[in-house]
């Protein structure tokens, strides 16, 4: 197994949930040349960052022929796939068309992992580890980890040079509105605390002085705009659309509060002290299995029922050692 290819699409959280399995594979085959085929802006988290020597985009046009039955396969890609001693694919391929086309290229060692998570079958990371178990590799540690490069951390140092510690980073969005704590609760959570990002001696003595960072992406524009209006001139820093390796290095230095989202998995994998708010989704399936993560579950699965006092108490307990 000198050359290994892992094919992994999906969103940020899906990719990061696969990292425990990939770490076990890398630990078992430390000298193997490993590549990842996935969404480039996500898979870059693994490129020359412990897991893989190279990543390639799954959005490459000629690759579409591999999803059509009896199609003429591009020679370039056929030779590429055939060059690997092992391919692990997590692609959704119910009719096994992609698998059949890989076999046509001469791929002999192909293991197909679960493309979809079954909630009754245990934690997602454990389900995603099944291909490694087929290889005889025991996956015992399901914590998610990413390994920033020196230049990633250098970016974070420069980015946060003027931001006093401790830093609280929040991501008030997610992939679905029902997974979001009401925005007014985020506003109330920090309004009830002493003025943040203000170096008042009283605040320092009571432990209420901290810097606040708001992380957002394209899907969070409306929420971000409202928070920018609400917290204008409060010294809040808004972090928008950073490359994921840079964002991970920024979050590494923070206390992070978020929902069931890919950014929360990124923060957990980076090593941030995380407080994650779960509502309709099951944390026993979807939450990071890291020791640096604390889960707050909303009563009746509705995040509107999660009290501000509960989140405030968890934040105070996390801030105290800082």
């Amino acid at each position: 197994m000198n050359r290994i290819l892992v094919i992994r699409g999906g969103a940020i959280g899906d990719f990061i949930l696969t990292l425990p399995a990939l770490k076990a594979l890398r630990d078992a085959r430390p000298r193997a040349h490993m590549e990842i085929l996935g969404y480039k802006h996500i898979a870059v988290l693994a490129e020359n960052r412990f897991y893989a020597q190279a990543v390639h985009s799954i959005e490459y046009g000629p690759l579409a022929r591999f999803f059509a039955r009896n199609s003429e396969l591009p020679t370039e890609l056929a030779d590429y796939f055939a060059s690997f001693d092992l391919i692990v694919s997590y692609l959704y391929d119910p009719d096994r068309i992609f698998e059949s086309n890989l076999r046509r290229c001469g791929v002999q060692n192909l293991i197909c992992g679960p493309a979809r998570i079954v909630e009754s079958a245990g934690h997602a990371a454990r389900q995603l580890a099944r291909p490694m178990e087929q290889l005889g590799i025991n996956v015992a540690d399901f914590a998610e980890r990413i390994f920033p490069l020196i230049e990633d951390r250098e970016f974070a140092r420069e980015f946060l040079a003027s931001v006093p510690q401790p830093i609280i980073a929040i991501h008030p969005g997610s992939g679905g509105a029902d997974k979001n704590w009401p925005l007014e609760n985020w506003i109330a959570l920090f309004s009830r605390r002493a003025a943040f990002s203000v170096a008042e001696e009283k605040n320092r003595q009571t432990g209420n002085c901290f810097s606040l960072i708001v992380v957002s992406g394209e899907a969070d524009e409306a929420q971000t705009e409202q928070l920018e209006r609400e917290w204008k001139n409060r010294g809040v820093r808004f972090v928008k659309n950073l490359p994921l390796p840079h964002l991970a290095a920024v979050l590494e230095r923070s206390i992070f509060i978020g929902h069931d989202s890919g950014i929360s998995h990124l923060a957990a994998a980076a090593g941030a002290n995380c407080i994650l708010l779960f509502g309709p989704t099951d944390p026993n399936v979807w939450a990071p299995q890291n020791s640096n993560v604390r889960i707050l579950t909303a009563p009746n699965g509705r995040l509107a029922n999660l009290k501000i006092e509960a989140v405030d108490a968890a934040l105070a307990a996390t801030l105290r050692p800082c």
Side-chain angles (χ1 to χ4, degrees):
M1 300 298 177
N2 293 320
R3 286 176 53 81
I4 300 173
L5 174 66
V6 176
I7 306 174
R8 182 57 167 134
I12 298 170
D14 301 319
F15 184 83
I16 296 176
L17 277 164
T18 316
L19 292 183
L22 298 190
K23 186 175 186 302
L25 178 60
R26 169 52 76 199
D27 289 342
R29 302 287 188 273
R31 297 184 180 180
H33 176 88
M34 189 180 300
E35 298 189 12
I36 296 175
L37 181 64
Y39 292 109
K40 188 71 180 287
H41 71 288
I42 299 174
V44 70
L45 287 166
E47 186 173 28
N48 293 316
R49 295 170 173 86
F50 177 75
Y51 292 99
Q53 284 87 347
V55 302
H56 304 283
S57 176
I58 203 169
E59 298 175 293
Y60 181 53
L63 188 62
R65 297 186 193 177
F66 279 79
F67 297 92
R69 200 183 301 275
N70 300 321
S71 64
E72 183 178 347
L73 303 177
T75 301
E76 171 198 7
L77 283 174
D79 292 343
Y80 173 72
F81 288 128
S83 72
F84 290 96
D85 302 307
L86 170 68
I87 295 180
V88 180
S89 174
Y90 289 95
L91 292 185
Y92 181 64
D93 187 27
D95 298 320
R96 305 180 73 172
I97 296 173
F98 183 76
E99 177 185 348
S100 175
N101 284 329
L102 287 183
R103 303 284 188 195
R104 287 172 56 199
C105 297
V107 174
Q108 295 183 350
N109 293 317
L110 171 64
I111 296 179
C112 296
R116 294 182 174 179
I117 299 303
V118 178
E119 296 222 355
S120 61
H123 194 274
R126 184 176 293 276
Q127 295 183 51
L128 292 166
R130 287 175 186 161
M132 307 310 145
E133 294 168 353
Q134 292 182 50
L135 292 168
I137 298 172
N138 181 42
V139 185
D141 184 2
F142 292 96
E144 304 161 1
R145 293 185 179 88
I146 54 177
F147 302 90
L149 296 175
I150 293 174
E151 46 262 45
D152 299 330
R153 288 189 167 120
E154 183 59 33
F155 170 86
R157 278 192 293 271
E158 294 178 4
F159 188 84
L160 299 172
S162 61
V163 180
Q165 297 280 345
I167 296 169
I168 298 174
I170 67 171
H171 178 225
S174 72
D178 60 338
K179 296 197 295 183
N180 294 345
W181 204 37
L183 196 62
E184 58 268 23
N185 288 7
W186 289 101
I187 295 170
L189 173 66
F190 291 101
S191 296
R192 69 188 291 146
R193 288 184 159 270
F196 43 85
S197 297
V198 178
E200 297 176 359
E201 185 60 29
K202 184 177 77 170
N203 291 338
R204 292 197 181 279
Q205 291 174 356
T206 57
N208 284 329
C209 186
F210 52 85
S211 300
L212 185 63
I213 290 177
V214 179
V215 178
S216 66
E218 293 180 359
D220 310 315
E221 287 182 0
Q223 295 157 310
T224 303
E225 288 175 1
Q226 185 173 341
L227 291 178
E228 285 179 318
R229 291 192 298 269
E230 183 72 27
W231 290 335
K232 186 178 180 180
N233 301 323
R234 297 292 298 274
V236 179
R237 190 154 190 179
F238 288 83
V239 179
K240 302 178 181 179
N241 301 317
L242 280 182
L244 293 179
H246 288 173
L247 179 57
V250 169
L251 295 177
E252 181 181 27
R253 298 161 160 244
S254 74
I255 296 168
F256 177 84
I257 312 176
H259 304 121
D260 177 13
S261 73
I263 299 301
S264 293
H265 283 278
L266 183 71
N273 288 320
C274 296
I275 301 169
L276 303 186
L277 318 180
F278 270 71
T281 52
D282 186 353
N284 293 317
V285 177
W286 298 109
Q289 298 289 283
N290 298 48
S291 60
N292 52 302
V293 172
R294 176 174 181 175
I295 303 297
L296 298 183
T297 304
N300 302 319
R302 298 186 67 243
L303 273 167
N305 295 337
L306 183 60
K307 300 295 186 183
I308 298 171
E309 291 78 7
V311 182
D312 188 54
L315 177 57
T318 309
L319 272 172
R320 198 170 295 121
C322 299

